[in-house]
């Protein structure tokens, strides 16, 4: 009888030991991935344009405000990271330099472009996309008589909006001058928020 009792006690202990953990498994939380848009703005202009014109670049800073910078070299690049949702874009505006002396015997070569390259991450890293767009100034070979008229219309812009899911759409940003595609006019630029409704 003692032998049977001992065997039953050992069997009961074995069953209790194999019972496992009564606490439910808690899943490890997914790491949070920031929803953002990394935008690289690149502007290229001809040396002749820089020689006779004040060239100003406008872009949307990380805080969502329009930032302007004069450029003095043929290539300008800036990368900005913005949280989603956001708008991004780049614009170029030219004005004739004060007191510039144009050579009546020379041909001036004008060209330029503004490029956007964006890498978008949304939905906790489950959605990624890229966006690339270039807007180009009209190329021109002009004598001194045609320079001022060309400079007065040498404005370009590219703009895009990204929602919280990472989807892009067309938009307009008020750069403060008539920028053509992606731009509107008649508002001061410095420190103004990027405004405009998505189309």
């Amino acid at each position: 009888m003692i032998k049977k009792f001992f065997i039953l006690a050992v069997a009961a202990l074995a069953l209790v030991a194999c019972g496992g953990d009564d606490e439910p498994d808690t899943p490890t939380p997914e790491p949070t991935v920031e929803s953002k848009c990394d935008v690289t703005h690149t502007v290229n202009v001809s040396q002749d344009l820089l020689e006779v014109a004040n060239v100003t670049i406008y872009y949307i800073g990380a805080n969502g405000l329009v930032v302007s910078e004069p450029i003095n070299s043929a290539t300008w690049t800036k990368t900005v990271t913005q949280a989603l949702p956001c708008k991004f874009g780049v614009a170029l505006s030219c004005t004739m330099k004060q007191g510039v002396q144009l050579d009546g015997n020379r041909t001036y070569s004008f060209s330029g472009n503004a490029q956007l390259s964006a890498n978008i991450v949304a939905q906790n890293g489950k959605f990624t996309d890229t966006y690339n767009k270039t807007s180009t100034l009209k190329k021109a070979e002009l004598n001194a008589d045609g320079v001022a008229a060309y400079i007065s219309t040498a404005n370009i812009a590219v703009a895009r909006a990204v929602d919280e899911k990472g989807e892009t759409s067309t938009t307009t940003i008020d750069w403060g001058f008539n920028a053509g595609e992606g731009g509107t006019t008649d508002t001061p630029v410095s420190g103004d928020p990027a405004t405009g409704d998505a189309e």
Side-chain angles (χ1 to χ4, degrees):
M1 181 78 158
I2 295 179
K3 194 174 185 183
K4 283 185 184 179
F5 179 73
F6 179 73
I7 292 173
L8 286 175
V10 169
L13 283 173
L15 286 174
V16 170
C18 294
D21 195 359
D22 290 338
E23 294 181 26
D25 290 338
T26 54
T28 305
E30 281 187 40
T32 302
V33 178
E34 179 186 10
S35 292
K36 64 179 182 170
C37 185
D38 295 320
V39 184
T40 300
H41 315 76
T42 305
V43 174
N44 299 291
V45 295
S46 65
Q47 198 59 46
D48 283 357
L49 186 62
L50 285 175
E51 185 180 319
V52 300
N54 299 306
V55 180
T56 304
I57 305 304
Y58 301 86
Y59 62 96
I60 305 300
N63 60 2
L65 300 178
V66 173
V67 179
S68 64
E69 289 184 20
I71 64 167
N72 299 308
S73 62
T75 300
W76 173 92
T77 300
K78 176 81 68 176
T79 299
V80 174
T81 299
Q82 292 180 270
L84 299 186
C86 68
K87 290 184 180 183
F88 60 88
V90 63
L92 175 149
S93 175
C94 298
T95 57
M96 197 74 177
K97 283 185 177 176
Q98 294 287 330
V100 69
Q101 298 294 318
L102 298 175
D103 183 347
N105 298 317
R106 178 176 164 194
T107 299
Y108 292 88
S109 298
F110 297 134
S111 63
N113 62 56
Q115 305 167 10
L116 285 178
S117 178
N119 293 311
I120 302 162
V121 177
Q123 301 175 30
N124 205 26
K126 294 179 179 138
F127 178 88
T128 60
D129 198 6
T130 59
Y131 175 81
N132 295 288
K133 175 78 175 180
T134 300
S135 185
T136 305
L137 281 174
K138 180 180 163 187
K139 288 185 179 182
E141 301 283 329
L142 301 169
N143 61 25
D145 293 338
V147 169
Y150 178 89
I151 298 300
S152 70
T153 61
N155 301 320
I156 56 174
V158 183
R160 204 74 176 156
V162 185
D163 66 18
E164 60 280 343
K165 294 179 183 175
E167 300 291 330
T168 63
S169 61
T170 57
T171 192
T172 300
I173 295 172
D174 195 338
W175 301 109
F177 63 92
N178 185 2
E181 177 192 346
T184 59
T185 188
D186 296 334
T187 309
V189 173
S190 181
D192 279 1
T195 59
D197 297 325
E199 294 177 330

